[in-house]
Amino acid sequence: MNKEIDLSVSCYGKTRELVYDLVLLPWGATEPHNLHLPYLTDCILAHAIAVDAAERSKELYGVRCMVMPPVTMGSQNPGQRELPFCIHARYETQRAILTDIVASLHTQGIHKMVIINGHGGNNFKNMIRDLSVDYPDFLIACSEWFAVLPAKEYFDRPGDHADEVETSVMMHYHPELVNLEEAGEGKYKPFAISSLQEKAAWIPRNWQKVSEDTGIGDPRLATAEKGKRYAGAVVEKYAQLLGELAKGDIY
């Protein structure tokens, strides 16, 4: 770990002497990820991407970011909460967490934050709109790290959950946490209704009716090399974003 990067493990003896341009808030979930990845995959990957982005933005633009500890409370689909140790956080719970974080940082004189989201079930837009009313001088941007760049340009068969993408990026950052030989195939059932397949409307998927191993997408083509290439490209995009946000007004 680069000693010049100020992460959530930094002590007060160091942070009190520094001025931070932005806060990065990784946000994930606590849920099964097929049979081969840890429950906290969304948190681990969002945090790892955030750390690298903070380091890169410091190198390229002189922007100092604090990476906060990841939030583990994610919103789940029907059929997930019934799975062992899968935790569903309601909208009100997530909103309360985000509100308390923003209120604390605002009191400390920090006014810019980027949420690095690692869980597709999370949606922060309405929360951010509400907080922009209560804290008009506090800028909050949100982003899903896995959607910053098109995965199909980096992977053979990207899926949706615990797939080739997440598995490859985890193999890059934490190969010791991946048991690929134990992975399920990630087979899943799409909606039987063509209108839902075509996204004429949205409804939450019942996870236990969709997937037997909780995965959506085959992870078995995953490699650390693919993960490194994709994560590196995503980090470059984030570094640019952080550099631009730190400059000042966005209009």
Side-chain angles (χ1 to χ4, degrees):
M1 184 179 295
N2 192 319
K3 293 182 180 180
E4 295 182 359
I5 303 306
D6 309 300
L7 310 178
S8 57
V9 295
S10 297
C11 62
Y12 177 56
K14 183 176 182 180
T15 61
R16 65 178 179 174
E17 299 172 354
L18 300 173
V19 176
Y20 292 85
D21 301 294
L22 289 154
V23 165
L24 304 185
L25 179 63
W27 202 307
T30 304
E31 61 173 0
H33 272 71
N34 200 314
L35 309 179
H36 65 292
L37 293 177
Y39 275 77
L40 289 181
T41 290
D42 292 342
C43 300
I44 294 168
L45 295 183
H47 186 267
I49 292 288
V51 169
D52 277 358
E55 179 177 17
R56 192 66 175 142
S57 66
K58 180 76 180 305
E59 292 174 352
L60 293 176
Y61 307 106
V63 174
R64 189 182 301 279
C65 299
M66 171 57 76
V67 180
M68 300 293 289
V71 180
T72 63
M73 295 290 99
S75 175
Q76 306 294 349
N77 277 306
Q80 287 182 296
R81 193 177 66 168
E82 293 81 2
L83 300 172
F85 310 113
C86 183
I87 306 301
H88 170 61
R90 295 176 178 272
Y91 174 87
E92 294 84 0
T93 302
Q94 291 186 311
R95 185 180 188 278
I97 292 171
L98 182 59
T99 298
D100 286 348
I101 291 172
V102 169
S104 298
L105 295 175
H106 188 268
T107 298
Q108 298 155 20
I110 297 171
H111 296 93
K112 293 181 181 179
M113 181 171 71
V114 177
I115 300 172
I116 307 294
N117 182 29
H119 178 62
N122 294 336
N123 192 325
F124 302 101
K125 290 183 178 179
N126 284 350
M127 303 179 201
I128 293 173
R129 289 187 179 102
D130 288 343
L131 286 167
S132 69
V133 173
D134 298 333
Y135 300 93
D137 59 340
F138 197 109
L139 183 149
I140 308 173
C142 64
S143 173
E144 296 175 332
W145 71 263
F146 49 84
V148 169
L149 292 171
K152 63 182 180 181
E153 296 182 7
Y154 295 81
F155 301 93
D156 295 294
R157 289 197 299 242
D160 197 316
H161 185 254
D163 61 339
E164 183 185 353
V165 178
E166 285 191 307
T167 302
S168 293
V169 178
M170 184 67 84
M171 291 172 75
H172 164 54
Y173 283 116
H174 293 286
E176 75 281 3
L177 299 180
V178 182
N179 299 306
L180 195 55
E181 65 277 5
E182 299 179 4
E185 296 181 15
K187 291 183 178 180
Y188 65 97
K189 294 180 181 179
F191 288 115
I193 300 174
S194 61
S195 294
L196 293 177
Q197 293 180 19
E198 296 166 1
K199 299 184 179 180
W202 176 89
I203 64 171
R205 294 174 288 186
N206 187 311
W207 222 252
Q208 292 187 50
K209 294 182 180 181
V210 170
S211 172
E212 293 184 1
D213 52 31
T214 79
I216 296 182
D218 193 342
R220 292 174 297 177
L221 292 176
T223 68
E225 291 73 23
K226 292 178 183 177
K228 180 179 181 180
R229 180 168 171 259
Y230 187 65
V234 169
V235 164
E236 290 296 320
K237 293 293 288 185
Y238 273 131
Q240 179 183 349
L241 170 68
L242 301 176
E244 291 172 348
L245 289 178
K247 286 182 180 179
D249 294 335
I250 60 174
Y251 300 107

